Amino acid sequence: MSDVDLQAEQYEKCREAGEILAQVRDEAAERVEIGASHLELAEWAEDRIRELGGEPAFPVNISIDEEAAHATPSRDDDATFGEEMVNLDIGVHVDGWLADTAVTVDLSGQDDLAAASEEALDAALDIAGPGVDVGEIGAAVEDVIEGYGFNPVVNLTGHGLGHWEQHTAPNIPNREVQQGAVLATGDVVAIEPFATDGGGKVQEGADEEIFALEREGNVRNRQARQVLDQISEEFRTLPFAARWLDSSRAEMALRRLQQQDIVHGYPVLKEQDGYYVSQKEHTVIITEDGCEVTTRSR
């Protein structure tokens, strides 16, 4: 794939999304402090993305302590930050072309765990390039995290980014695997190591605030139909938050849509209680001589 035109419009839009996202991630991270509101931060970041010319690719994820993914504030959430490990995972799209990034802001005093995922990402970026087996990237991530005395979260992976698709092939593991996919020039991928002082496997929790369209369908209920129209027009196949829906009866409408398998939810993914998870993520375009990080701080 060496003839891929990395200056084509789709790559320019990926770069634009990455530039917006790097700025919002850094500004949002500065707003994470004890006593600050989860909901206010999420809404501020989502509005800031729009202000800078992008759209949120998914709801701002704010994961606390043992939470690893899919946690976002509800419409009336009153949670505030304490002495906790906080992961911010944020996405931007420009006309459906995506960028995805995450950072740990540690208020819990566990610098080593935060450093483990950050250094693991650096190691992964050092070797990412065309012809590289993703299993080698997983091995580099695992090596760094275990070197700190922690475990990689093995059932979460990095992933490809498609047009209006937040998760596509290839999956990029956080541990060594034999014969994974091979990266090619032009691939757009998110690499995201997760490190934990727990066992290294996350489970689904009970909370669910993020959803996505599974398929088009006909619904009789008027509220459910209105919600489905908004989802199809505004979010398409990208994840959305229940709090983004205009309907005053959005929760009931969502339940109806889930029962008909038109919409699916993303339960919060968690380590066992009492443990912590850190995360660091960048989006890259695979180039002929390595990779270009689109979400690096400017």
Side-chain angles (χ1 to χ4, degrees):
M1 287 182 67
S2 59
D3 58 349
V4 170
D5 179 5
L6 294 180
Q7 303 311 312
E9 184 181 7
Q10 73 186 75
Y11 294 108
E12 289 307 323
K13 288 183 174 176
C14 288
R15 291 183 181 100
E16 186 183 342
E19 197 167 322
I20 293 167
L21 185 49
Q23 183 174 340
V24 174
R25 177 201 58 226
D26 294 351
E27 291 176 358
E30 288 178 5
R31 290 170 172 258
V32 175
E33 54 188 31
I34 290 172
S37 157
H38 292 198
L39 180 59
E40 285 177 16
L41 176 64
E43 290 184 333
W44 177 88
E46 290 158 3
D47 286 343
R48 185 77 174 120
I49 288 166
R50 298 181 187 106
E51 198 178 290
L52 293 172
E55 287 290 334
F58 53 85
V60 168
N61 282 212
I62 301 176
S63 302
I64 303 296
D65 291 347
E66 75 277 5
E67 295 173 343
H70 305 160
T72 199
S74 63
R75 195 185 299 268
D76 53 0
D77 204 304
D78 60 0
T80 58
F81 295 109
E83 293 181 353
E84 299 158 328
M85 181 158 282
V86 180
N87 294 325
L88 299 180
D89 193 340
I90 311 176
V92 167
H93 78 86
V94 174
D95 296 334
W97 298 104
L98 296 142
D100 188 354
T101 192
V103 65
T104 295
V105 183
D106 181 40
L107 306 178
S108 69
Q110 299 188 75
D111 298 349
D112 279 0
L113 187 56
S117 55
E118 184 166 358
E119 196 176 305
L121 178 59
D122 288 341
L125 296 176
D126 282 346
I127 62 171
V132 174
D133 188 305
V134 296
E136 293 175 47
I137 295 176
V141 166
E142 183 175 37
D143 193 47
V144 169
I145 292 172
E146 289 186 345
Y148 272 87
F150 302 119
N151 289 314
V153 176
V154 296
N155 57 342
L156 290 175
T157 65
H159 50 90
L161 293 165
H163 192 217
W164 295 104
E165 286 187 281
Q166 193 212 344
H167 281 114
T168 65
N171 286 337
I172 300 177
N174 286 317
R175 63 171 169 180
E176 184 174 10
V177 298
Q178 299 304 314
Q179 295 180 313
V182 174
L183 296 175
T185 304
D187 286 350
V188 180
V189 295
I191 302 175
E192 53 178 326
F194 292 83
T196 180
D197 58 351
K201 280 201 170 178
V202 292
Q203 314 276 337
E204 290 186 353
D207 294 337
E208 208 172 60
E209 287 291 334
I210 299 176
F211 302 86
L213 185 66
E214 183 75 31
R215 62 177 181 85
E216 294 292 345
N218 294 315
V219 286
R220 290 183 180 176
N221 179 270
R222 187 169 59 85
Q223 270 106 1
R225 203 163 56 241
Q226 286 174 341
V227 165
L228 181 57
D229 286 346
Q230 184 186 357
I231 292 166
S232 301
E233 286 169 27
E234 287 186 37
F235 319 128
R236 301 201 194 186
T237 51
L238 293 174
F240 62 90
R243 60 185 160 79
W244 289 358
L245 299 172
D246 298 332
S247 169
S248 59
R249 306 186 72 180
E251 279 71 15
M252 189 181 295
L254 274 176
R255 276 201 297 278
R256 285 179 184 270
L257 294 172
Q258 275 186 288
Q259 284 163 0
Q260 295 183 42
D261 296 323
I262 291 171
V263 161
H264 67 268
Y266 293 90
V268 174
L269 300 176
K270 309 163 79 165
E271 250 290 356
Q272 291 177 297
D273 287 352
Y275 294 102
Y276 295 84
V277 177
S278 72
Q279 176 191 16
K280 190 72 191 284
E281 176 182 23
H282 274 311
T283 296
V284 304
I285 300 170
I286 302 301
T287 61
E288 288 182 20
D289 57 357
C291 69
E292 172 190 345
V293 181
T294 66
T295 48
R296 212 186 285 286
S297 301
R298 300 308 194 265

